[in-house]
Amino acid sequence: MRIEIWADVVCGWAYIGKRRVERALEGLDVEVVWRPFRIDPMAPAQAVPHEEAMADPTVDAALRRCAPDLTPGENRVRVALVAAEEGFGWTWGPAWRADSRDAHRLIALALEHGGPALQDAVAERVMKAHFLDRLDISDRGTLHRLAADAGFAGGGALLDAGAGDELVRELLLKGKAMGVRTSPTIVAGSEALAGAQSAEVIREFVLAARPARRLPEEVERYRHAESLLDQRDPLGALALLRPLLDEHGDDRNVLMLAGRCYYLSAQLGRARAVLERLVAATPDDAYARHLLGRTLQRQGHAEEAGPHLRMAAVMAPEYA
């Protein structure tokens, strides 16, 4: 059985959760895969001292994504106490507000090139470096050394070549589509467990999990794109939809979803082209006609929009 841990390496609860997961899975045949989550996507590209960063109100927002039920101040105290209880000691605490993007790339690449064991070794060293060794994990040189220490000798070169950037971007969108809202979130089968729960709770959760029904990759990608659009993220939806447009560009459902995304992201020229194609293929599709009419209206083509809007209203009164 495989479980996924969606977490940010700069979230203290993620490192605490890692220790609890390790205890929870003792004696079980379970494969663990780490997936990216960003609690602090606004972190500066150049790391700043942690104490200085605490004055930035965006840091409070980040901490709430790590512990939604605690105030930022309560979270800082609570995580330090729990870290000590978990055996991390009283030297716990980051020295830097660091951008975790490259660290996530390195961890994702470790899975691709060495499997879950190598990925776990890299994730462990990255979090230890941040919370215990007080290193700047946004620094490329630091990540090179951590990769080598973990046995991922080629990791640094892959980072420098830009590898893993698109992979992490897609995984972050997938997590959002799946409803991942906090770090860490453990996904087993079709169920999710949010937060760094106790080892006992995690073990019960994993033992009770049933494998999710595997969907074709194209279907899963389409559903995730739909979910992002429902969350008012049309650009994210388009990013996931792009491979489907390349490979299944004649599929009506794919085209309709793309048309909706283009319309909601104000890419009106592209929306018009897709919707005109759909209306030409299926003239009795009331929704396609209505959306085409709205698109033409927004482009300032009221006369062209009128027939489509009137026809849509005749076919479906809700569009009147």
Side-chain angles (χ1 to χ4, degrees), residues 104-115:
H104 283 304
R105 288 172 54 213
L106 183 64
I107 291 168
L109 289 167
L111 178 64
E112 277 199 332
H113 290 267

Side-chain angles (χ1 to χ4, degrees), residues 7-11 34-38 98-111 118-119 121-130 135-140 142-144 146-147 152 155 159 163-165 168 171-172:
D8 198 343
V9 292
V10 296
C11 171
W34 289 85
R35 300 299 194 194
F37 182 80
R38 298 292 302 276
D99 185 346
S100 60
R101 181 179 62 89
D102 282 350
H104 283 304
R105 288 172 54 213
L106 183 64
I107 291 168
L109 289 167
L111 178 64
L118 179 62
Q119 185 190 46
V122 172
E124 172 67 30
R125 281 162 178 79
V126 168
M127 285 187 271
K128 179 178 181 292
H130 183 66
L135 299 177
D136 174 10
I137 62 166
S138 68
D139 177 72
R140 191 66 62 81
T142 298
L143 291 175
H144 281 217
L146 296 174
F152 188 19
L159 278 184
D165 192 57
V168 167
L171 285 170
L172 289 168

Side-chain angles (χ1 to χ4, degrees), residues 46-164:
Q46 183 72 41
V48 298
H50 191 261
E51 291 305 316
E52 177 185 327
M54 289 302 101
D56 186 338
T58 64
V59 174
D60 285 352
L63 290 173
R64 289 188 184 280
R65 299 189 78 193
C66 200
D69 298 328
L70 300 174
T71 68
E74 290 171 339
N75 181 58
R76 284 191 286 270
V77 173
R78 178 66 177 151
V79 74
L81 291 172
V82 174
E85 293 171 0
E86 291 290 335
F88 289 108
W90 293 103
T91 58
W92 169 280
W96 301 95
R97 182 190 183 191
D99 185 346
S100 60
R101 181 179 62 89
D102 282 350
H104 283 304
R105 288 172 54 213
L106 183 64
I107 291 168
L109 289 167
L111 178 64
E112 277 199 332
H113 290 267
L118 179 62
Q119 185 190 46
D120 185 77
V122 172
E124 172 67 30
R125 281 162 178 79
V126 168
M127 285 187 271
K128 179 178 181 292
H130 183 66
F131 290 104
L132 301 180
D133 300 332
R134 301 172 66 80
L135 299 177
D136 174 10
I137 62 166
S138 68
D139 177 72
R140 191 66 62 81
T142 298
L143 291 175
H144 281 217
R145 292 190 296 274
L146 296 174
D149 289 346
F152 188 19
L158 288 168
L159 278 184
D160 290 346

Side-chain angles (χ1 to χ4, degrees), residues 275-304:
L275 292 166
E276 285 180 338
R277 182 177 170 187
L278 287 168
V279 167
T282 313
D284 60 349
D285 186 327
Y287 180 71
R289 278 196 181 275
H290 175 74
L291 196 57
L292 175 57
R294 294 291 299 275
T295 299
L296 290 165
Q297 272 186 333
R298 289 180 64 183
Q299 287 185 310
H301 304 307
E303 289 188 10
E304 293 179 62

